[in-house]
Amino acid sequence: DGLAQTHNDPVAKAYAGFLRAQRLQTQNRARDGLVEALSNADLLQERKDPQLLAIADYNLCNAYFEVEEFARALPFCEHAKQRWNEAGDGYDEARAIDLEALVRFNQKDNVTAISLLKEARNLLAKLTEQNVEQELHVVGKKGLGYFRYVGRQVASSRTDITGLVICEREVQAN
């Protein structure tokens, strides 16, 4: 916020606002986080920079996801994915694909969610070869798990996640 005010920088202001939105979400104030994200996305709309628009789209997808408005979240995920793809930003493209998979999973579209998770996983695997740190949500037998890949090492926030393969089997069985 200080940089945004000192230099009258709308991009810095938007970034600070998105961080506030995320903090509100973690404080179980998702509706307030959505309002914050919407307000700050407006600051970037006039910029016409595809990467800044992708950042706005990603944050709006996440904010709508957090308030469980999945139908509203989906187009923002798709736009973020497309814009980051066009910009050649594989890491952020994979993050957008990953978030879209979570949205689809919550819409009960498990087949598409699995396809998206595979797409994100493949994109992240390419980045892993370049020793880029990535993050990925994986749908497993006991729910969603969060994995962080650093090089070829994997650290999970959940030890009970059995991985994507089991989820694929469960969806095929249904």
Side-chain angles (χ1 to χ4, degrees):
D1 282 331
L3 177 64
Q5 291 174 353
T6 304
H7 297 285
N8 194 24
D9 184 346
V11 174
K13 183 176 180 182
Y15 272 103
F18 291 139
L19 291 173
R20 276 192 306 277
Q22 291 172 8
R23 187 184 71 239
L24 289 166
Q25 292 163 358
T26 62
Q27 296 172 340
N28 293 322
R29 296 174 53 199
R31 282 273 163 215
D32 294 335
L34 174 60
V35 170
E36 188 73 33
L38 286 165
S39 171
N40 288 286
D42 284 344
L43 295 173
L44 299 181
Q45 296 304 316
E46 297 174 9
R47 293 289 175 166
K48 305 298 183 217
D49 177 328
Q51 288 188 300
L52 292 177
L53 293 172
I55 290 166
D57 288 337
Y58 181 86
N59 280 280
L60 289 174
C61 177
N62 186 59
Y64 279 117
F65 174 82
E66 290 294 331
V67 296
E68 299 181 0
E69 291 187 29
F70 306 118
R72 287 188 170 179
L74 186 58
F76 290 109
C77 291
E78 293 169 333
H79 292 141
K81 174 177 65 174
Q82 178 185 352
R83 287 182 169 135
W84 274 321
N85 176 276
E86 291 168 358
D89 186 338
Y91 172 72
D92 284 322
E93 179 186 359
R95 288 180 53 227
I97 294 167
D98 179 50
L99 183 55
E100 181 182 344
L102 292 174
V103 169
R104 301 273 189 172
F105 178 76
N106 281 281
Q107 290 179 316
K108 309 296 186 231
D109 185 359
N110 294 343
V111 172
T112 302
I114 289 170
S115 175
L116 288 166
L117 287 169
K118 286 180 181 178
E119 182 182 349
R121 182 179 62 189
N122 290 337
L123 186 53
L124 292 173
K126 289 178 188 175
L127 294 173
T128 299
E129 293 171 4
Q130 302 166 7
N131 289 323
V132 176
E133 184 176 311
Q134 307 106 39
E135 57 192 31
L136 176 66
H137 292 88
V138 177
V139 180
K141 189 172 184 177
K142 295 187 178 180
L144 296 175
Y146 176 77
F147 287 78
R148 178 168 294 278
Y149 293 77
V150 181
R152 299 207 179 272
Q153 302 296 317
V154 178
S156 171
S157 66
R158 287 186 60 166
T159 57
D160 61 351
I161 293 301
T162 53
L164 185 58
V165 175
I166 288 177
C167 182
E168 289 177 276
R169 287 187 201 134
E170 288 178 358
V171 169
Q172 290 172 357
N174 292 335

